[in-house]
């Protein structure tokens, strides 16, 4: 899946504990995204990054924080996990469009395999 | 604010028949529009996109989509459905005005019956 690795792939954690999910890319893409997927809601954007140390909130950012200290890594942290954060989490990357020399940069997103998080 | 609507939770079609999965959007400026497909227990796979130019765009696996600016729609189509097309389909929009947030619809489940 386009050089994107999410870890862990599955996690069960207790309410109130902190949890960090990792997304690692080998594509050198500028943009990285964290989404959660829930039945009836599709994919909802949590946070995204448009460069190292440059991040912004998405649609459902409450209870989540992110960090991007290197181009290749985008971390999602649940400060104090709640049962409502039980979900499947997807990381995505994108070049973001524009051009790199003579080559147009991709605008579409490429997704990781997902992390299934259960908060009990 | 950006938004995407997929008005049908589920679309049922017989194999060999044409299929349409509907999508409407709201965004400031000119939109970037995308369709993705998700098979069970997998991440999303890119199908096709509209950035500019011809309103009819062709993508993977024989799918195509028609951009209609006046109706703010971007419906996904295929002339002849296959059982293997059964999956969850997502429409997505990204504003062309900075920020580069990509917002997804709730998804439409396509069932193709043999």
């Amino acid at each position: 899946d386009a050089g994107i690795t999410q870890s862990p792939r599955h996690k069960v954690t207790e309410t109130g504990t902190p949890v960090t999910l990792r997304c690692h890319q080998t594509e050198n893409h500028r943009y990285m995204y964290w989404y959660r997927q829930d039945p009836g809601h599709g994919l909802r954007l949590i946070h995204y990054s448009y460069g190292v140390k440059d991040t912004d909130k998405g649609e459902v950012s409450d209870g989540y924080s992110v960090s991007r200290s290197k181009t290749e890594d985008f971390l999602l942290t649940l400060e104090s996990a709640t049962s409502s954060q039980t979900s499947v989490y997807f990381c995505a990357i994108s070049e973001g469009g524009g051009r790199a020399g003579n080559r147009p940069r991709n605008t579409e997103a490429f997704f990781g395999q997902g992390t299934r998080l259960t908060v009990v | 604010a950006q938004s995407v609507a997929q008005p049908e939770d589920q679309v049922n079609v017989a194999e060999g028949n044409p299929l349409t999965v509907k999508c409407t959007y709201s965004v400031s400026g000119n939109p970037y529009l995308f369709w993705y497909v998700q098979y069970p227990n997998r991440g999303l796979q890119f199908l096709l996109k509209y950035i500019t130019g011809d309103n009819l765009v062709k993508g993977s696996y024989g799918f195509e989509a028609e951009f209609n600016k006046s109706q703010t729609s971007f419906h996904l189509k295929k002339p002849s459905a296959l059982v293997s097309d059964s999956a969850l389909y997502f429409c997505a929009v990204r504003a062309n005005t900075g920020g580069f947030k990509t917002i997804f619809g709730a998804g439409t489940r396509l069932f193709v019956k043999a």
Side-chain angles (χ1 to χ4, degrees), chain B residues 39-76:
Chain B
Y39 298 101
N41 300 314
R42 299 293 303 275
L44 277 70
Q45 298 176 29
F46 168 72
L47 271 181
L48 51 78
K49 65 184 176 185
Y50 172 83
I51 305 300
T52 186
D54 194 348
N55 289 344
L56 184 66
V57 293
K58 295 186 183 297
S60 306
Y61 313 119
F63 284 94
E64 57 190 29
E66 186 167 13
F67 170 62
N68 187 317
K69 188 172 183 178
S70 63
Q71 297 186 2
T72 61
S73 67
F74 189 56
H75 301 330
L76 181 70

Side-chain angles (χ1 to χ4, degrees), chain A residues 54-67:
Chain A
D54 290 324
T55 64
D56 205 351
K57 295 179 179 180
E59 306 165 273
V60 290
S61 58
D62 288 347
Y64 301 95
S65 62
V66 290
S67 67

Side-chain angles (χ1 to χ4, degrees), chain A residues 33-107:
Chain A
Y33 309 83
W34 276 108
Y35 291 90
R36 59 178 290 175
Q37 183 177 20
D38 304 288
H41 292 280
L43 269 77
R44 291 181 290 176
L45 182 64
I46 305 172
H47 283 279
Y48 68 105
S49 169
Y50 46 96
V52 173
K53 298 186 179 179
D54 290 324
T55 64
D56 205 351
K57 295 179 179 180
E59 306 165 273
V60 290
S61 58
D62 288 347
Y64 301 95
S65 62
V66 290
S67 67
R68 193 169 178 199
S69 58
K70 298 184 290 185
T71 298
E72 57 265 37
D73 290 325
F74 193 34
L75 304 181
L76 176 71
T77 298
L78 289 66
E79 304 289 350
S80 177
T82 68
S83 58
S84 65
Q85 293 176 313
T86 292
S87 186
V88 180
Y89 291 85
F90 286 101
C91 174
I93 64 174
S94 171
E95 288 187 295
R99 302 192 71 85
N102 290 329
R103 181 183 71 82
R105 290 193 182 96
N106 288 326
T107 51

